[in-house]
Amino acid sequence: MKADRKIRVLMSKTGLDGHDRGAKVVTYFLRNEGMEVVYLGQFQTPESVVRTAIEEDIDVIGLSSLSGEHMSFVPSMMKLISQEGLDNVLVLLGGTIPRKEMPFLKEMGVDAIFESGSPMNSIIEFIKTHVSLRGS
């Protein structure tokens, strides 16, 4: 990432999950840290998220899941990310994610999983550290 460019984050609620308070709170804190955040909102598809990530030159895709649908949309999203050559984009998942599913999600390419109630500082520091390491 160029030193003079802000970190660009895409936040989204994928699937039919209508609980968006957590995603909005994270968006607020990331913006306060000086990041540019594109908030797609609820009911997005993996295709719409990846298309927007390309159009907006995104460094980080942040997905929020509270409904258990992540096991449906994450595999198709990771496949699209790979097909589009977005290897430098960090993929973060947050919300209600059963711990037994976390290793499988990370094997698919999710870079980090933040459970509901994770400290904002841990999310912010992860993004800052790993975006600069990837050189997006």
Side-chain angles (χ1 to χ4, degrees):
M1 186 179 87
K2 295 178 184 174
D4 59 340
R5 185 173 161 286
K6 291 183 178 183
I7 294 173
R8 296 183 53 79
V9 180
L10 174 64
M11 289 293 296
S12 179
K13 296 289 297 179
T14 307
L16 299 176
D17 182 1
H19 301 86
D20 63 349
R21 178 171 278 165
K24 288 179 176 177
V25 169
V26 173
T27 295
Y28 172 82
F29 277 94
L30 296 180
R31 285 180 177 154
N32 279 350
E33 280 294 314
M35 297 181 202
E36 291 184 20
V37 183
V38 176
Y39 181 69
L40 278 184
Q42 303 168 317
F43 314 122
Q44 300 298 314
T45 64
E47 293 81 8
S48 67
V49 172
V50 171
R51 181 178 54 250
T52 303
I54 293 166
E55 291 169 358
E56 295 288 340
D57 193 22
I58 294 298
D59 301 305
V60 181
I61 295 174
L63 305 169
S64 172
S65 178
L66 296 170
S67 66
E69 289 182 283
H70 55 276
M71 295 303 283
S72 298
F73 67 75
V74 170
S76 57
M77 183 165 307
M78 296 312 297
K79 183 178 179 183
L80 288 169
I81 287 169
S82 176
Q83 288 173 347
E84 295 295 336
L86 299 176
D87 301 326
N88 282 343
V89 174
L90 285 177
V91 178
L92 310 181
L93 180 61
T96 307
I97 314 298
R99 289 184 181 197
K100 67 182 180 186
E101 296 172 353
M102 290 180 183
F104 178 70
L105 292 162
K106 286 189 174 186
E107 271 181 36
M108 276 190 272
V110 174
D111 294 292
I113 300 168
F114 295 95
E115 297 175 90
S116 292
S118 292
M120 283 302 135
N121 287 345
S122 64
I123 299 169
I124 292 164
E125 289 308 313
F126 185 90
I127 291 172
K128 287 181 176 180
T129 300
H130 289 82
V131 166
S132 66
L133 289 175
R134 288 210 175 173
S136 294

